[in-house]
């Protein structure tokens, strides 16, 4: 047992702290290693401002989707660079990709977005 004295300007109060206890209850892992790696991949994809902007553009697109041809000008990057960013977003599971002729169309994966938003909330 540890006895500590808390001092306020005019008051001194003894406090007792059990050496074997802590202020918070024991923590049990709420996420498996595999789940943590999957969530980290999502957050890594979201860690780039351009990719966040691309998600926003897709969400604002007609029908909640956007063609790669409509994403390059708003972010001021080449089609190849935007394609690379979109590949990472697809791999993270945040968007789906559909080929229509020579153009790729992307849509948000609502379930994946919801899962990312709630990944760190207590169950």
């Amino acid at each position: 047992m540890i006895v500590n004295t808390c001092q306020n300007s005019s008051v001194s109060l003894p406090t007792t702290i059990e050496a074997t206890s802590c202020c918070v209850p024991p923590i049990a892992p709420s996420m498996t290693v595999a789940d943590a790696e999957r969530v980290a991949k999502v957050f890594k994809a979201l860690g780039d401002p351009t990719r966040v902007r691309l998600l926003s553009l897709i969400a604002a697109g007609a029908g909640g989707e956007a063609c790669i041809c409509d994403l390059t000008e708003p972010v001021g990057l080449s089609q190849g660079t935007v394609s690379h960013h979109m590949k990472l977003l697809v791999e993270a599971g945040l968007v789906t990709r559909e080929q229509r002729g020579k153009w790729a169309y992307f849509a948000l994966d609502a379930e994946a977005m919801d899962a990312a938003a709630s990944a760190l909330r207590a169950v």
Side-chain angles (χ1 to χ4, degrees), residues 20-30 122:
T20 59
S21 68
C22 182
C23 301
V24 293
I27 298 174
S30 62

Side-chain angles (χ1 to χ4, degrees), residues 8-83:
N8 194 338
S9 59
S10 63
V11 179
S12 177
L13 301 171
T15 59
T16 304
I17 302 171
E18 291 293 327
T20 59
S21 68
C22 182
C23 301
V24 293
I27 298 174
S30 62
M31 188 180 290
T32 67
V33 172
D35 286 342
E37 289 172 353
R38 181 183 48 76
V39 170
K41 188 173 187 175
V42 170
F43 286 132
K44 185 174 181 178
L46 291 171
D48 184 280
T50 298
R51 290 192 283 271
V52 173
R53 288 185 65 210
L54 289 167
L55 289 173
S56 176
L57 289 166
I58 294 166
E65 66 177 14
C67 176
I68 191 78
C69 63
D70 295 324
L71 297 174
T72 55
E73 186 181 325
V75 294
L77 298 171
S78 71
Q79 189 270 332
T81 301
V82 172
S83 290

Side-chain angles (χ1 to χ4, degrees), residues 37-47 51 55 84-96 109 111-113 115-116:
E37 289 172 353
R38 181 183 48 76
V39 170
K41 188 173 187 175
V42 170
F43 286 132
K44 185 174 181 178
L46 291 171
R51 290 192 283 271
L55 289 173
H84 170 73
H85 284 296
M86 295 310 302
K87 178 183 174 193
L88 296 175
L89 291 170
V90 169
E91 289 174 354
L94 293 168
V95 297
T96 59
D109 184 318
E111 188 175 310
M113 297 296 284

